[in-house]
Amino acid sequence: MSTPYPFTAIVGQDDLRLGLLLNAVSPAVGGVLVRGEKGTAKSTAVRALAALMPEVSVVPGCRFSCDPVSPDPACPDGPHAEAAGVSRAARTVELPVGASEDRLVGALDIERALSEGVKAFEPGLLADAHRGILYVDEVNLLHDHLVDLLLDAAAMGASYVEREGVSVRHAARFLLVGTMNPEEGELRPQLLDRFGLTVEVAASRDTDERVEVVRRRLAYDDDPEGFAARWAGEESALRERIAAARALLPRVVLGDGVLRQIAATCAAFEVDGMRADIVMARTATALAAWAGREEVTADDVRQAALLALPHRRRRNPFDAPGLDEDKLDQTLDEAGPQENNDGDDQPDPDPDGGGDDDGGGGGGVPPQADGDRTPPRGESGDTPSQAPEGSPDAPGRSTGAEQQPVASAEPFRTKMLSVPGLGEGAAGRRSRARTEHGRTTGARRPQGALTKLHLAATVRAAAPHQRARGRSGRGLVVRRDDLRQATREGREGNLVLFVVDASGSMAARQRMSAVKGAVLSLLLDAYQRRDKVGLVTFRGKEAEVALPPTSSVDAAASRLESLPTGGRTPLAAGLLKAHDVLRVERLRDPSRRPLLVVVTDGRATGGPEPVALAGRAGRLHRSEGTASVVVDCESGYVRLGLAGELARELGGTAVTLDELRADSIAGLVKDVTAAGRAA
């Protein structure tokens, strides 16, 4: 077993360390979600926490880690006779993103269950994590069906395994820790709310601190055991402090005054439900115990709010997490308990790293990378030209000058776009697909481990052989060759690739604002349907990949908002660049089917025969069966219908920009499907 990196040797990252330590003091806080860029010690800190957790006492031989003082009466290995428990270290169980359902919850031996009536159960990761830590790296990439199982287990404190009427239940209470890079996509709101706390981490910009990080990491890599030995004293002291805080926790008093502050804060920030209030109360209590106090203070409430509320205030994936700290301070002052307003100074809730006096620590507004910073929503005092869009003086008519980014119109709800046919891609909510979950459509022989038994088909396969197998009793003699896997149809997520015309002919402010609003609406729909998205733009002399395919729709929205316009219209270059992107993605993820959304007025300028070249590029997409939609942005009294021509070359459908508003997009699903069948 490799020697873990010492928790106390981690440089900086005060919020991350505090969030993990508070959960070690009080597991009832509900876990922690660590959000941040790659290479910021997220996984290192989580794995190091296990060495600080107190040992647990378990029933000898129990695969489900039952507590000998109060064993689970429904334990599959029970009932347990009275016996002395054995102590072992708390486990940290890692859930891989690509794990199967059986690996997570466990598996029943269906053959023995049918033929012998025996519940032969092999425990999964939820059983291993009971009374320990369940760690999910890249939790935002976890498949939906695994997320559902995690939600159920976290809510009920137990895991249920059901296979055709045969069921097993066991306790599954664990500290849930997830890490994620927001650039790769956001979490489902249901799972996001299950994490008690959230912290934002970023690499330090301080040169001395970065030097120390590198120095310690190199020393650890050269001699892990020796490095750990040098930090053994600090590790032991921190372990003792956690134990002391756990012992003090039951005696901490949560007064009515601070409880009113908690409720007022949650109400002021309009968080959904009551879970935030409960988590804040538990976090504030843990902060007091961590500081060695028996009474919760207003500073504890403030720190708890900065850790427990930012991720609960997001209304859509384009909202940045964080709290308005001025509003927080005002709310706490207005709802402050009278006994804490006598002029006495409040003690520091965490003298070793729980937060700064200036309010900068503990999960406040996270730092943002330059690429994700939201641009200004227009310039003050800017007066758009009154000239008609078709006139030479209209904004954006210049083919050489670059225009400033235009703010998008408000996004709106869209109807579903889908890819025709039946796919086999990643689980999602867009197009029809063969999946592990959904309605049963048939049966087949299992390929690998059996996951979903088709009982009727299995019985039909076994029935003709009962006499030859010497059946004498009432039980059915079942062999492995008789087992049948249920085939199911559900929904898949797709790759939605946006190809956006940013040339001078599109640069009129009102039109480009409406275009961005429509694309933002489709991006929000893609987030809800668990799609990957990509963004290709073209203007001037070339096209570029503004955002490679990713699950992060907020990154796509950020790139779209800052998109400059101007120059000629290299339409063919945009389509060919999109073809290159889709070709690479087919190799990388062949089961995920693409949907091409081209946003243009159909004009093509620059180079020899630009219109003919654009037509050939469109036919290239059509020959590969790529489903497509062309959003026609042409305006003015004279319309050339070039976007419609492009849609025909692509084998897709065209809709005008006006038709994207409100319910006008409703016919797109039928149009895309009909166009795909005609092709």
Side-chain angles (χ1 to χ4, degrees):
M1 182 177 178
S2 60
T3 303
Y5 192 91
F7 190 88
T8 51
I10 296 173
V11 179
Q13 306 295 12
D14 293 341
D15 291 348
L16 169 60
R17 292 187 289 123
L18 179 61
L20 292 172
L21 289 171
L22 291 177
N23 276 276
V25 171
S26 176
V29 165
V32 59
L33 173 65
V34 186
R35 297 165 45 95
E37 58 196 33
K38 52 186 177 293
T40 49
K42 301 187 297 293
S43 300
T44 298
V46 174
R47 295 186 178 105
L49 178 66
L52 302 176
M53 298 288 287
E55 292 187 338
V56 295
S57 179
V58 299
V59 173
C62 178
R63 297 175 296 168
F64 302 88
S65 303
C66 279
D67 187 346
V69 177
S70 56
D72 181 8
C75 176
D77 285 353
H80 297 297
E82 293 185 8
V86 295
S87 295
R88 62 161 176 79
R91 293 172 178 162
T92 297
V93 177
E94 296 193 28
L95 171 61
V97 170
S100 66
E101 180 179 331
D102 285 347
R103 184 71 186 98
L104 177 62
V105 301
L108 287 170
D109 189 330
I110 300 297
E111 185 177 352
R112 292 188 62 190
L114 288 176
S115 59
E116 304 175 26
V118 176
K119 292 182 181 179
F121 180 67
E122 184 66 27
L125 295 178
L126 290 179
D128 293 341
H130 179 48
R131 304 178 67 198
I133 301 172
L134 181 61
Y135 171 46
V136 189
D137 192 15
E138 306 293 353
V139 63
N140 50 323
L141 304 182
L142 201 62
H143 289 303
D144 275 3
H145 67 283
L146 298 182
V147 170
D148 293 335
L149 294 170
L150 272 181
L151 290 174
D152 291 341
M156 298 182 292
S159 174
Y160 292 84
V161 184
E162 302 272 352
R163 291 291 188 274
E164 303 298 338
V166 181
S167 63
V168 172
R169 173 211 170 274
H170 64 83
R173 292 182 294 275
F174 45 81
L175 169 59
L176 181 61
V177 180
T179 57
M180 60 174 282
N181 183 349
E183 293 180 356
E184 296 173 344
E186 286 294 341
L187 276 175
R188 281 174 53 184
Q190 296 92 332
L191 183 58
L192 192 64
D193 188 53
R194 288 294 178 185
F195 286 98
L197 311 179
T198 184
V199 294
E200 297 279 341
V201 295
S204 173
R205 300 298 184 256
D206 181 80
T207 302
D208 293 337
E209 193 167 295
R210 294 175 74 96
V211 168
E212 186 62 24
V213 170
V214 175
R215 181 182 290 116
R216 293 186 186 184
R217 185 69 207 192
L218 293 177
Y220 170 77
D221 291 341
D222 290 341
D223 182 11
E225 294 184 0
F227 184 82
R230 290 196 294 274
W231 290 88
E234 288 83 351
E235 291 283 287
S236 178
L238 187 58
R239 193 178 297 110
E240 291 175 0
R241 184 177 177 186
I242 292 174
R246 278 195 169 195
L248 178 62
L249 188 65
R251 303 198 302 272
V252 175
V253 176
L254 186 68
D256 290 341
V258 292
L259 191 56
R260 180 171 293 276
Q261 283 184 313
I262 291 171
T265 301
C266 293
F269 284 99
E270 300 179 350
V271 295
D272 296 332
M274 295 297 297
R275 184 174 284 115
D277 304 63
I278 297 171
V279 170
M280 273 190 64
R282 290 171 173 166
T283 304
T285 304
L287 280 163
W290 179 244
R293 289 182 276 99
E294 295 187 3
E295 185 174 358
V296 176
T297 68
D299 285 344
D300 295 329
V301 176
R302 186 183 193 279
Q303 188 76 27
L306 292 172
L307 290 167
L309 296 187
H311 61 300
R312 293 185 164 87
R313 297 195 61 247
R314 292 182 63 128
R315 293 296 182 264
N316 66 64
F318 309 144
D319 293 337
L323 292 181
D324 182 342
E325 297 194 36
D326 291 337
K327 180 179 179 180
L328 173 61
D329 291 334
Q330 180 181 354
T331 302
L332 292 175
D333 289 341
E334 292 174 353
Q338 295 298 321
E339 61 269 24
N340 286 345
N341 293 334
D342 56 2
D344 293 339
D345 292 335
Q346 298 293 341
D348 183 3
D350 180 20
D352 288 341
D356 299 329
D357 292 338
D358 60 3
V365 178
Q368 297 181 350
D370 290 342
D372 294 332
R373 188 172 294 120
T374 302
R377 306 286 290 188
E379 299 174 355
S380 60
D382 182 30
T383 303
S385 172
Q386 301 302 315
E389 286 189 5
S391 70
D393 296 329
R397 292 300 300 171
S398 171
T399 59
E402 179 175 304
Q403 306 295 321
Q404 291 297 321
V406 178
S408 67
E410 287 297 321
F412 51 86
R413 185 174 180 83
T414 70
K415 297 296 177 66
M416 183 174 65
L417 298 168
S418 66
V419 177
L422 190 65
E424 295 181 345
R429 297 188 181 88
R430 184 172 296 278
S431 304
R432 294 174 55 233
R434 286 181 286 268
T435 62
E436 289 294 322
H437 301 270
R439 62 185 181 90
T440 300
T441 58
R444 60 174 174 81
R445 291 181 181 273
Q447 299 172 352
L450 178 70
T451 56
K452 296 291 183 182
L453 177 72
H454 195 297
L455 183 58
T458 299
V459 171
R460 286 196 300 268
H465 308 291
Q466 296 306 295
R467 181 175 297 178
R469 293 173 182 174
R471 172 183 170 184
S472 58
R474 299 178 59 185
L476 189 67
V477 181
V478 179
R479 304 282 172 81
R480 178 160 294 276
D481 289 344
D482 302 327
L483 300 179
R484 295 294 182 269
Q485 174 86 22
T487 58
R488 300 179 179 234
E489 182 178 311
R491 294 280 175 178
E492 67 177 359
N494 298 109
L495 166 60
V496 182
L497 182 61
F498 294 92
V499 182
V500 179
D501 185 348
S503 65
S505 65
M506 296 282 292
R509 283 186 173 273
Q510 183 177 1
R511 192 190 332 169
M512 199 61 196
S513 176
V515 167
K516 286 186 175 182
V519 177
L520 282 175
S521 303
L522 294 171
L523 282 172
L524 181 58
D525 181 69
Y527 164 75
Q528 294 168 341
R529 301 192 187 283
R530 311 297 288 173
D531 293 317
K532 291 178 70 175
V533 296
L535 178 62
V536 172
T537 64
F538 59 94
R539 66 186 183 92
K541 296 181 179 180
E542 60 185 15
E544 65 173 349
V545 181
L547 183 72
T550 176
S551 297
S552 178
V553 296
D554 51 343
S558 176
R559 302 297 196 279
L560 182 71
E561 284 282 6
S562 59
L563 178 66
T565 58
R568 293 186 178 275
T569 312
L571 176 57
L575 295 175
L576 292 174
K577 181 67 72 174
H579 179 267
D580 291 341
V581 171
L582 295 180
R583 177 177 54 82
V584 173
E585 284 301 306
R586 284 190 179 99
L587 295 174
R588 182 179 298 163
D589 191 0
S591 62
R592 189 181 290 268
R593 298 184 295 162
L595 174 63
L596 187 68
V597 179
V598 185
V599 184
T600 181
D601 56 10
R603 290 184 174 89
T605 59
E609 299 183 346
V611 176
L613 185 59
R616 288 197 294 271
R619 291 192 293 275
L620 179 61
H621 282 282
R622 180 175 184 173
S623 68
E624 297 183 352
T626 302
S628 60
V629 175
V630 178
V631 180
D632 184 359
C633 303
E634 190 176 27
S635 60
Y637 298 108
V638 179
R639 295 176 181 254
L640 303 178
L642 297 176
E645 292 284 348
L646 176 61
R648 284 188 286 275
E649 298 286 9
L650 286 165
T653 186
V655 293
T656 66
L657 188 60
D658 291 338
E659 290 173 339
L660 289 176
R661 300 296 306 174
D663 294 333
S664 298
I665 199 174
L668 275 178
V669 178
K670 297 179 181 178
D671 292 340
V672 173
T673 303
R677 290 172 179 169

mmCIF file of all heavy atoms in Angstrom, residues 256-280:
data_model
loop_
_atom_site.group_PDB
_atom_site.id
_atom_site.type_symbol
_atom_site.label_atom_id
_atom_site.label_comp_id
_atom_site.label_asym_id
_atom_site.label_seq_id
_atom_site.Cartn_x
_atom_site.Cartn_y
_atom_site.Cartn_z
ATOM 1 N N ASP A 256 -31.092 30.237 20.268
ATOM 2 C CA ASP A 256 -32.187 30.707 19.424
ATOM 3 C C ASP A 256 -31.773 31.900 18.560
ATOM 4 O O ASP A 256 -32.239 32.057 17.429
ATOM 5 C CB ASP A 256 -33.391 31.094 20.289
ATOM 6 C CG ASP A 256 -34.057 29.882 20.917
ATOM 7 O OD1 ASP A 256 -33.827 28.766 20.410
ATOM 8 O OD2 ASP A 256 -34.805 30.053 21.906
ATOM 9 N N GLY A 257 -30.879 32.732 19.102
ATOM 10 C CA GLY A 257 -30.454 33.910 18.344
ATOM 11 C C GLY A 257 -29.709 33.542 17.074
ATOM 12 O O GLY A 257 -30.004 34.060 15.991
ATOM 13 N N VAL A 258 -28.732 32.645 17.179
ATOM 14 C CA VAL A 258 -27.977 32.261 15.979
ATOM 15 C C VAL A 258 -28.832 31.388 15.064
ATOM 16 O O VAL A 258 -28.663 31.406 13.839
ATOM 17 C CB VAL A 258 -26.665 31.540 16.362
ATOM 18 C CG1 VAL A 258 -25.702 32.498 17.022
ATOM 19 C CG2 VAL A 258 -26.918 30.345 17.244
ATOM 20 N N LEU A 259 -29.755 30.629 15.643
ATOM 21 C CA LEU A 259 -30.655 29.850 14.805
ATOM 22 C C LEU A 259 -31.534 30.772 13.960
ATOM 23 O O LEU A 259 -31.815 30.494 12.787
ATOM 24 C CB LEU A 259 -31.518 28.936 15.674
ATOM 25 C CG LEU A 259 -32.333 27.856 14.954
ATOM 26 C CD1 LEU A 259 -31.430 26.970 14.112
ATOM 27 C CD2 LEU A 259 -33.124 27.023 15.951
ATOM 28 N N ARG A 260 -31.942 31.903 14.531
ATOM 29 C CA ARG A 260 -32.710 32.883 13.773
ATOM 30 C C ARG A 260 -31.843 33.502 12.671
ATOM 31 O O ARG A 260 -32.327 33.772 11.570
ATOM 32 C CB ARG A 260 -33.235 33.971 14.715
ATOM 33 C CG ARG A 260 -34.048 35.063 14.030
ATOM 34 C CD ARG A 260 -34.697 35.972 15.041
ATOM 35 N NE ARG A 260 -35.720 35.259 15.790
ATOM 36 C CZ ARG A 260 -36.969 35.082 15.372
ATOM 37 N NH1 ARG A 260 -37.352 35.573 14.210
ATOM 38 N NH2 ARG A 260 -37.826 34.436 16.112
ATOM 39 N N GLN A 261 -30.554 33.719 12.958
ATOM 40 C CA GLN A 261 -29.652 34.224 11.924
ATOM 41 C C GLN A 261 -29.545 33.240 10.756
ATOM 42 O O GLN A 261 -29.519 33.636 9.592
ATOM 43 C CB GLN A 261 -28.265 34.474 12.510
ATOM 44 C CG GLN A 261 -28.144 35.748 13.327
ATOM 45 C CD GLN A 261 -26.719 35.971 13.789
ATOM 46 O OE1 GLN A 261 -26.076 35.065 14.297
ATOM 47 N NE2 GLN A 261 -26.216 37.184 13.604
ATOM 48 N N ILE A 262 -29.471 31.965 11.074
ATOM 49 C CA ILE A 262 -29.381 30.946 10.032
ATOM 50 C C ILE A 262 -30.625 30.970 9.155
ATOM 51 O O ILE A 262 -30.548 30.975 7.919
ATOM 52 C CB ILE A 262 -29.177 29.561 10.668
ATOM 53 C CG1 ILE A 262 -27.786 29.468 11.297
ATOM 54 C CG2 ILE A 262 -29.381 28.444 9.642
ATOM 55 C CD1 ILE A 262 -27.569 28.217 12.130
ATOM 56 N N ALA A 263 -31.784 30.978 9.782
ATOM 57 C CA ALA A 263 -33.029 30.981 9.020
ATOM 58 C C ALA A 263 -33.160 32.255 8.180
ATOM 59 O O ALA A 263 -33.587 32.208 7.014
ATOM 60 C CB ALA A 263 -34.218 30.836 9.971
ATOM 61 N N ALA A 264 -32.797 33.411 8.753
ATOM 62 C CA ALA A 264 -32.895 34.672 8.023
ATOM 63 C C ALA A 264 -31.944 34.690 6.830
ATOM 64 O O ALA A 264 -32.289 35.214 5.753
ATOM 65 C CB ALA A 264 -32.584 35.843 8.964
ATOM 66 N N THR A 265 -30.766 34.111 6.993
ATOM 67 C CA THR A 265 -29.792 34.080 5.893
ATOM 68 C C THR A 265 -30.301 33.221 4.741
ATOM 69 O O THR A 265 -30.231 33.613 3.570
ATOM 70 C CB THR A 265 -28.446 33.547 6.395
ATOM 71 O OG1 THR A 265 -27.963 34.391 7.444
ATOM 72 C CG2 THR A 265 -27.425 33.502 5.270
ATOM 73 N N CYS A 266 -30.816 32.038 5.059
ATOM 74 C CA CYS A 266 -31.331 31.164 4.002
ATOM 75 C C CYS A 266 -32.526 31.796 3.293
ATOM 76 O O CYS A 266 -32.676 31.667 2.069
ATOM 77 C CB CYS A 266 -31.718 29.798 4.585
ATOM 78 S SG CYS A 266 -30.310 28.828 5.176
ATOM 79 N N ALA A 267 -33.362 32.489 4.042
ATOM 80 C CA ALA A 267 -34.511 33.157 3.426
ATOM 81 C C ALA A 267 -34.064 34.328 2.559
ATOM 82 O O ALA A 267 -34.592 34.541 1.463
ATOM 83 C CB ALA A 267 -35.477 33.637 4.509
ATOM 84 N N ALA A 268 -33.065 35.077 3.025
ATOM 85 C CA ALA A 268 -32.606 36.246 2.276
ATOM 86 C C ALA A 268 -31.985 35.854 0.941
ATOM 87 O O ALA A 268 -32.130 36.574 -0.052
ATOM 88 C CB ALA A 268 -31.600 37.040 3.106
ATOM 89 N N PHE A 269 -31.319 34.712 0.907
ATOM 90 C CA PHE A 269 -30.673 34.276 -0.334
ATOM 91 C C PHE A 269 -31.555 33.333 -1.147
ATOM 92 O O PHE A 269 -31.106 32.774 -2.148
ATOM 93 C CB PHE A 269 -29.331 33.620 -0.025
ATOM 94 C CG PHE A 269 -28.258 34.613 0.329
ATOM 95 C CD1 PHE A 269 -27.932 34.856 1.655
ATOM 96 C CD2 PHE A 269 -27.607 35.320 -0.663
ATOM 97 C CE1 PHE A 269 -26.957 35.778 1.986
ATOM 98 C CE2 PHE A 269 -26.627 36.240 -0.345
ATOM 99 C CZ PHE A 269 -26.294 36.484 0.990
ATOM 100 N N GLU A 270 -32.799 33.141 -0.708
ATOM 101 C CA GLU A 270 -33.826 32.432 -1.485
ATOM 102 C C GLU A 270 -33.375 31.032 -1.914
ATOM 103 O O GLU A 270 -33.579 30.618 -3.053
ATOM 104 C CB GLU A 270 -34.221 33.253 -2.718
ATOM 105 C CG GLU A 270 -34.794 34.615 -2.373
ATOM 106 C CD GLU A 270 -35.162 35.420 -3.608
ATOM 107 O OE1 GLU A 270 -34.793 35.001 -4.718
ATOM 108 O OE2 GLU A 270 -35.816 36.465 -3.458
ATOM 109 N N VAL A 271 -32.768 30.297 -0.985
ATOM 110 C CA VAL A 271 -32.389 28.927 -1.308
ATOM 111 C C VAL A 271 -33.630 28.039 -1.245
ATOM 112 O O VAL A 271 -34.568 28.304 -0.489
ATOM 113 C CB VAL A 271 -31.309 28.401 -0.339
ATOM 114 C CG1 VAL A 271 -30.033 29.186 -0.503
ATOM 115 C CG2 VAL A 271 -31.783 28.445 1.109
ATOM 116 N N ASP A 272 -33.644 26.993 -2.051
ATOM 117 C CA ASP A 272 -34.796 26.104 -2.117
ATOM 118 C C ASP A 272 -34.786 25.128 -0.948
ATOM 119 O O ASP A 272 -33.745 24.609 -0.555
ATOM 120 C CB ASP A 272 -34.786 25.310 -3.426
ATOM 121 C CG ASP A 272 -34.942 26.216 -4.647
ATOM 122 O OD1 ASP A 272 -35.569 27.280 -4.502
ATOM 123 O OD2 ASP A 272 -34.444 25.840 -5.726
ATOM 124 N N GLY A 273 -35.986 24.850 -0.416
ATOM 125 C CA GLY A 273 -36.128 23.825 0.607
ATOM 126 C C GLY A 273 -35.536 24.234 1.944
ATOM 127 O O GLY A 273 -35.141 25.381 2.172
ATOM 128 N N MET A 274 -35.452 23.248 2.854
ATOM 129 C CA MET A 274 -34.963 23.472 4.209
ATOM 130 C C MET A 274 -33.611 22.811 4.476
ATOM 131 O O MET A 274 -33.067 22.951 5.565
ATOM 132 C CB MET A 274 -35.984 22.943 5.215
ATOM 133 C CG MET A 274 -37.298 23.670 5.219
ATOM 134 S SD MET A 274 -37.135 25.420 5.702
ATOM 135 C CE MET A 274 -36.520 25.249 7.373
ATOM 136 N N ARG A 275 -33.073 22.091 3.482
ATOM 137 C CA ARG A 275 -31.810 21.400 3.729
ATOM 138 C C ARG A 275 -30.696 22.388 4.046
ATOM 139 O O ARG A 275 -29.822 22.113 4.867
ATOM 140 C CB ARG A 275 -31.435 20.525 2.539
ATOM 141 C CG ARG A 275 -30.172 19.714 2.777
ATOM 142 C CD ARG A 275 -29.882 18.732 1.655
ATOM 143 N NE ARG A 275 -30.772 17.575 1.727
ATOM 144 C CZ ARG A 275 -31.676 17.277 0.818
ATOM 145 N NH1 ARG A 275 -31.828 18.051 -0.238
ATOM 146 N NH2 ARG A 275 -32.440 16.215 0.950
ATOM 147 N N ALA A 276 -30.700 23.548 3.408
ATOM 148 C CA ALA A 276 -29.650 24.535 3.650
ATOM 149 C C ALA A 276 -29.642 24.992 5.103
ATOM 150 O O ALA A 276 -28.567 25.163 5.707
ATOM 151 C CB ALA A 276 -29.828 25.729 2.719
ATOM 152 N N ASP A 277 -30.822 25.208 5.688
ATOM 153 C CA ASP A 277 -30.895 25.624 7.095
ATOM 154 C C ASP A 277 -30.276 24.576 8.007
ATOM 155 O O ASP A 277 -29.508 24.899 8.935
ATOM 156 C CB ASP A 277 -32.356 25.862 7.497
ATOM 157 C CG ASP A 277 -33.062 26.882 6.613
ATOM 158 O OD1 ASP A 277 -33.203 26.613 5.405
ATOM 159 O OD2 ASP A 277 -33.473 27.924 7.141
ATOM 160 N N ILE A 278 -30.607 23.311 7.736
ATOM 161 C CA ILE A 278 -30.103 22.235 8.581
ATOM 162 C C ILE A 278 -28.596 22.092 8.436
ATOM 163 O O ILE A 278 -27.863 21.937 9.426
ATOM 164 C CB ILE A 278 -30.818 20.915 8.227
ATOM 165 C CG1 ILE A 278 -32.319 21.043 8.521
ATOM 166 C CG2 ILE A 278 -30.218 19.743 8.990
ATOM 167 C CD1 ILE A 278 -33.148 19.880 8.013
ATOM 168 N N VAL A 279 -28.113 22.158 7.193
ATOM 169 C CA VAL A 279 -26.670 22.038 6.963
ATOM 170 C C VAL A 279 -25.928 23.196 7.614
ATOM 171 O O VAL A 279 -24.866 22.997 8.228
ATOM 172 C CB VAL A 279 -26.375 21.971 5.453
ATOM 173 C CG1 VAL A 279 -24.880 22.083 5.195
ATOM 174 C CG2 VAL A 279 -26.904 20.675 4.870
ATOM 175 N N MET A 280 -26.461 24.417 7.504
ATOM 176 C CA MET A 280 -25.810 25.558 8.143
ATOM 177 C C MET A 280 -25.738 25.391 9.650
ATOM 178 O O MET A 280 -24.720 25.712 10.276
ATOM 179 C CB MET A 280 -26.556 26.849 7.798
ATOM 180 C CG MET A 280 -26.107 27.501 6.502
ATOM 181 S SD MET A 280 -26.814 29.167 6.321
ATOM 182 C CE MET A 280 -26.042 30.022 7.702
#
